[in-house]
Amino acid sequence: MEFIVTKDYKSMSTLAAERIVEQVRENPRSVLGLATGSTPEGLYAELVAAYRVGDVDFAGITTFNLDEYCGLSPDHSQSYHYFMREHLISHVNIDEARAFIPNEELVNDRPAWETYSARMDAAGGVDLQLLGIGQNGHIGFNEPDDNFSKGCHIVELTESTIQANSRLFDSVDEVPRRAYTMGIGDIMKARRVILVASGDSKAESVRDSFFGPVTPRIPASILQFHHNICVIVDEAAAKLCPVG
Ligand code: PGA
């Protein structure tokens, strides 16, 4: 595991964006697993900037987002479809036909764990998976549980996630209670993983995930078993870790 502590949010974002640009330059047909949330906003801004000056070309890539709320239309300002358009897709030359986000359609006829995960496999698997982390150690919307999940599925969000995400909605009652998410198995199949975390609120989950026992009660802890993972955290998120 590569564990990198950066000075602040900006340098975390810059480093993560550089790694993604390198990946796409090395393999212009890369399959990227993408994340939403406040944490990756800065790195997406850097990817847009890199595209604008001609440092990177996204025309050949395929993307698979980690998750989406159930019940929000793609035009809802808190849906992850909307987030991806706002922060990345509408600003760069990603082919929207190859930008996948789990949605209701994908669970209409067949179970989502067949359709979305099968699509990822059919695309050749994910070359680089970007992850944030929840205060409870979730990755995607894989909440603490008795087991590690396998493929894409529907989850009931925990109260702590609903509370954490309510900051983005008018009231806590508007936060969806359920979501679609890639499974832990999908995430572990990625050839390379980059996890970013920033701020004091992530300090405990970063410590527990990367320096504690591997347990489905802290879903990100399974990443200790990934063969190619780079964790990029700022000083605030690293403050409880036994490093440096
Ligand atoms: P955040 O969310 O980047 O908004 O903190 C991360 C997550 O919950 O996975």
Side-chain angles (χ1 to χ4, degrees), residues 36-40 132-135 138-140 165 167-168 202:
T36 50
S38 305
T39 315
I133 186 169
Q135 291 173 25
H138 73 203
I139 44 177
N165 292 3
R167 71 189 193 279
L168 302 166
K202 302 294 173 66

Side-chain angles (χ1 to χ4, degrees), residues 15 20 60 88 152 163 206:
L15 182 58
I20 294 169
L88 186 66
C152 187
Q163 289 297 336
V206 168

Side-chain angles (χ1 to χ4, degrees), residues 77-89:
S77 65
Q78 294 311 324
S79 76
Y80 293 163
H81 283 73
Y82 187 92
F83 177 102
M84 290 310 297
R85 278 202 308 278
E86 284 292 292
H87 291 282
L88 186 66
I89 291 173

